[in-house]
Amino acid sequence: LEAVVDCGRLPEGTGWSSVLNRAAFTLGGLVAGGHITEQAAHTALLDAALRARPKKKAVALGIIRSGLAAGTRRALHPKDER
């Protein structure tokens, strides 16, 4: 999520939506793996997104929703837990 927040230091058009989508996809995989709740993932993602782009809430919500949904199709398990 740090990468999402870091986008706030960069001008518009520098990949914020791609970074947010990648983070949402990853957290979706962790949700599917039982490592985090969907609500906790959504809250963390929205907080990071709004810190970077405060005026983009509607866009962020759409990216988060689709990224989490896609990520939940494949469970992720951190290597240290296998």
Side-chain angles (χ1 to χ4, degrees):
L1 296 178
E2 201 171 301
V4 175
V5 175
D6 287 346
C7 287
R9 290 179 246 178
L10 303 172
E12 293 280 336
T14 55
W16 169 80
S17 61
S18 295
V19 173
L20 178 58
N21 186 58
R22 191 169 32 253
F25 182 86
T26 300
L27 286 183
L30 293 174
V31 168
H35 302 284
I36 187 173
T37 66
E38 187 169 354
Q39 183 60 46
H42 185 275
T43 299
L45 287 161
L46 186 57
D47 178 63
L50 294 179
R51 286 175 56 202
R53 297 284 189 266
K55 297 179 181 180
K56 299 280 188 172
K57 184 175 182 177
V59 173
L61 287 170
I63 294 168
I64 291 166
R65 184 174 37 256
S66 66
L68 282 174
T72 58
R73 294 186 197 119
R74 185 172 187 189
L76 292 177
H77 300 282
K79 290 181 183 179
D80 61 342
E81 291 189 16
R82 284 188 175 178

